[in-house]
């Protein structure tokens, strides 16, 4: 099955529609949180997501803040301002959908979470050391994370039979095939607010049969 993997849409319907146009046909949709926050179209993004096939989605920190489920003191000034605006804009239907989301979803052989398995809403996996510390917090072969807005893959190799004794880091270039061979933490980058010095929306396709990953 071909799965479209999205993260950090951040209320940007233009970016979401561009990604859907670029991705072509797919069989399932995984969304790694932060559907809302920052951008102008929170309700439109939720409505569009709900039309996609076999949607599995986890809660992000901006989604939780929109619901008032977490305090906003930990957010920077711009994020706090956008959350206050968002709370006044979000519809009852959108609020209900966000309220239904969990911090993590475990599917066959994969684990979906926004930040990290150890700290689902807040931790950024931006380096090999943080990745290494997180491998013991999930038992599936692959773990999909968002939150950093940077496409990346971290692989765990056990040369000395010690958990996490060697972790490699890869930045996936668009259209490059990445084979999932060992326990791996992967990030598709951000749809609505890229922070990888590439202004284009980022997403990924995961092939559940071939165990391959391609950033689009
Ligand atoms: Zn985000």
């Amino acid at each position: 099955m071909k799965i479209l993997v999205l993260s950090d849409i951040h209320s940007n319907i233009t970016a979401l529609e561009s990604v859907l146009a670029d991705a072509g046909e797919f069989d399932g949709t995984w969304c790694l949180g932060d559907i809302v926050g920052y951008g102008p179209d929170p309700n439109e993004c939720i409505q569009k997501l709900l039309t996609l096939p076999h949607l599995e989605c986890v809660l992000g920190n901006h989604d939780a803040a929109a619901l008032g489920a977490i305090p906003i003191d930990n957010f920077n000034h711009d994020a706090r301002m956008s959350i206050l605006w968002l709370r006044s804009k979000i519809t009852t239907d959108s609020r209900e959908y966000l309220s239904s989301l969990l911090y993590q979803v475990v599917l066959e052989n994969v684990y979906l979470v926004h930040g990290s398995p150890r700290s689902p809403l807040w931790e950024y996996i931006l380096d090999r050391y943080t990745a290494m510390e997180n491998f013991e917090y999930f038992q599936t072969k692959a773990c999909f994370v968002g939150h950093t807005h940077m496409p990346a893959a971290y692989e765990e190799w056990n040369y000395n039979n010690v958990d996490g004794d060697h972790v490699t880091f890869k930045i996936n270039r668009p259209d490059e095939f990445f084979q999932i061979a060992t326990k791996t933490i992967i990030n598709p980058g951000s749809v609505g607010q890229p922070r990888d010095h590439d202004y284009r929306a980022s997403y990924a396709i995961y092939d559940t049969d071939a165990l391959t990953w391609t950033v689009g």
Side-chain angles (χ1 to χ4, degrees):
M1 282 213 310
K2 195 175 153 185
I3 307 291
L4 175 68
V5 187
L6 307 170
S7 192
D8 297 275
I9 297 166
H10 280 298
S11 302
N12 186 340
I13 192 71
T14 312
L16 178 57
E17 283 176 346
S18 304
V19 161
L20 295 176
D22 192 61
E25 302 250 309
F26 51 93
D27 310 299
T29 316
W30 297 345
C31 173
L32 305 171
D34 278 5
I35 308 168
V36 299
Y38 295 126
D41 321 303
N43 302 308
E44 294 81 348
C45 286
I46 291 171
Q47 288 312 310
K48 179 56 88 177
L49 258 190
L50 289 171
T51 66
L52 304 180
H54 301 286
L55 175 65
E56 296 285 351
C57 188
V58 294
L59 192 75
N61 53 318
H62 283 259
D63 307 319
L67 295 170
I70 55 171
I72 58 173
D73 315 5
N74 288 344
F75 289 83
N76 67 42
H77 177 264
D78 290 349
R80 275 203 310 275
M81 292 301 105
S82 89
I83 289 161
L84 293 176
W85 174 84
L86 172 63
R87 285 178 180 171
S88 69
K89 172 101 173 158
I90 203 155
T91 62
T92 308
D93 284 355
S94 296
R95 174 174 282 277
E96 246 170 49
Y97 177 66
L98 294 179
S99 304
S100 74
L101 300 178
L102 303 173
Y103 287 165
Q104 60 259 308
V105 168
V106 184
L107 302 169
E108 196 187 340
N109 242 341
V110 299
Y111 187 100
L112 313 180
V113 69
H114 180 62
S116 77
R118 177 170 65 177
S119 174
L121 282 192
W122 293 110
E123 187 170 43
Y124 292 90
I125 300 183
L126 280 164
D127 57 73
R128 291 188 301 143
Y129 186 76
T130 312
M132 186 183 83
E133 292 196 326
N134 269 284
F135 278 109
E136 64 180 285
Y137 288 85
F138 67 97
Q139 308 312 321
T140 54
K141 186 156 187 173
C143 169
F144 297 88
V145 300
H147 195 41
T148 66
H149 300 208
M150 314 262 275
Y154 299 88
E155 298 171 287
E156 183 190 52
W157 303 98
N158 297 139
Y159 295 120
N160 301 308
N161 281 330
V162 179
D163 257 3
D165 69 351
H166 189 76
V167 175
T168 52
F169 166 64
K170 284 183 181 155
I171 296 175
N172 305 125
R173 309 265 167 228
D175 301 324
E176 195 176 75
F177 274 90
F178 173 83
Q179 185 75 46
I180 297 173
T182 182
K183 214 170 168 183
T184 307
I185 296 172
I186 336 183
N187 191 321
S190 167
V191 171
Q193 195 197 76
R195 295 180 191 161
D196 58 345
H197 306 291
D198 182 338
Y199 62 89
R200 293 172 299 175
S202 184
Y203 68 96
I205 298 289
Y206 174 59
D207 185 320
T208 60
D209 303 313
L211 295 184
T212 55
W213 172 257
T214 323
V215 173

